[in-house]
């Protein structure tokens, strides 16, 4: 039985990833009068705001000054935070509340390992803040996903080894981060690139304690 669960936020707890991309699209339209293609969304999922902007600017083949880069980051976050004002517990993805309840009943410790700087605010809006033992501040880790730093920090904050934890992600960058941290990787989604996880589930509705316990190794080789 694992002792810790390290959660991503966007696309795992609530579907706020679409709000992120809508904010990016609004920003790009305002500044560059360009419509971002939906296919670019996958490349911005699970990574930091800075890395997302780099992906977008590379797609646009646009170079900006450092001061403009920082301004774009701030404005995008303002758009995103505005969209979060209406979020509530209704935004929690199917099955997640029940799964968290199962984990708490078994005294599994919970950590949020999200690249989002708005993680604590979102958990409060969802009514889930008290369910989490710790929330890692992504600004305090050396490298963002796909580096494993945030999952290593989450396990350490729970006073656990990564091998005693599961990590749950819906992005390719996040999955790589979990695998490199040494935690048991649970991927949520239908992308073929997520099939490399230790356990892949099509949707959050399949997040069940019994399912994960069956797949989780009793002993590490």
């Amino acid at each position: 039985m694992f002792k810790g669960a390290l959660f991503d936020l966007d696309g795992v707890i609530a579907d706020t990833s679409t709000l992120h991309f809508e904010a990016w699209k609004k920003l790009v339209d305002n500044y560059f009068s360009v419509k971002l293609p939906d296919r670019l969304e996958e490349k911005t999922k699970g990574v930091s705001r800075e890395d997302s902007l780099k992906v977008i600017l590379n797609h646009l083949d646009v170079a900006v000054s450092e001061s403009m880069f920082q301004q774009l980051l701030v404005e995008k976050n303002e758009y995103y935070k505005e969209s979060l004002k209406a979020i509530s517990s209704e935004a929690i993805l199917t099955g997640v509340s029940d799964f968290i309840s199962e984990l708490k009943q078994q005294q599994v410790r919970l950590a949020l390992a999200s690249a989002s700087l708005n993680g604590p605010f979102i958990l409060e809006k969802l009514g889930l803040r008290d369910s989490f033992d710790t929330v890692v501040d992504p600004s305090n880790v050396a490298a963002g996903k796909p580096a494993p730093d945030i999952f290593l920090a989450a396990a350490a904050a729970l006073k656990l080894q990564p091998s005693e934890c599961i990590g749950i992600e819906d992005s390719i960058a996040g999955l790589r981060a979990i695998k490199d941290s040494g935690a048991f990787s649970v991927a949520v989604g239908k992308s073929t690139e997520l099939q490399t996880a230790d356990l892949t589930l099509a949707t959050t509705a399949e997040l069940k304690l019994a399912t994960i316990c069956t797949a989780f190794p009793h002993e590490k080789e």
Side-chain angles (χ1 to χ4, degrees), residues 32 53 57 62-73:
F32 306 108
L53 181 53
L57 292 176
V62 169
V64 299
S65 66
E66 179 59 25
S67 61
M68 175 58 74
F69 188 88
Q70 295 302 321
Q71 180 178 332
L72 292 172
L73 291 177

Side-chain angles (χ1 to χ4, degrees), residues 41-138:
E41 182 176 0
E42 185 62 39
K43 293 183 179 180
T44 64
K45 285 176 64 176
V47 299
S48 69
R49 196 181 309 158
E50 290 83 355
D51 288 342
S52 291
L53 181 53
K54 289 175 184 176
V55 166
I56 290 167
L57 292 176
N58 183 62
H59 169 77
L60 299 175
D61 196 21
V62 169
V64 299
S65 66
E66 179 59 25
S67 61
M68 175 58 74
F69 188 88
Q70 295 302 321
Q71 180 178 332
L72 292 172
L73 291 177
V74 170
E75 291 194 29
K76 181 270 176 182
N77 195 45
E78 291 304 313
Y79 291 143
Y80 177 62
K81 287 197 294 185
E82 184 65 28
S83 69
L84 288 175
K85 287 182 179 179
I87 201 171
S88 70
S89 60
E90 293 182 1
I92 299 173
L93 290 168
T94 303
V96 172
S97 293
D98 288 343
F99 179 57
I100 288 176
S101 294
E102 283 188 302
L103 295 174
K104 300 302 286 184
Q105 287 169 9
Q106 296 299 316
Q107 298 183 322
V108 175
R109 292 175 236 169
L110 273 58
L112 187 71
S114 169
S116 175
L117 293 167
N118 298 297
F121 173 73
I122 296 171
L123 287 183
E124 289 284 357
K125 296 285 285 183
L126 296 174
L128 292 175
R129 182 61 187 89
D130 291 343
S131 296
F132 283 79
D133 299 280
T134 191
V135 175
V136 179
D137 183 347

Side-chain angles (χ1 to χ4, degrees), residues 7-17 45 89-103 126 128 166-171 186-191 194 199-212:
F7 281 79
D8 179 41
L9 176 54
D10 299 326
V12 170
I13 296 175
D15 196 11
T16 48
S17 59
K45 285 176 64 176
S89 60
E90 293 182 1
I92 299 173
L93 290 168
T94 303
V96 172
S97 293
D98 288 343
F99 179 57
I100 288 176
S101 294
E102 283 188 302
L103 295 174
L126 296 174
L128 292 175
I166 63 169
I168 309 170
E169 270 282 0
D170 74 318
S171 73
V186 179
V188 178
K190 299 177 181 178
S191 169
L194 296 176
L199 176 65
T200 306
L201 305 173
T203 70
T204 56
E206 296 179 23
L207 281 170
K208 306 285 186 182
L209 184 59
T211 301
I212 297 174

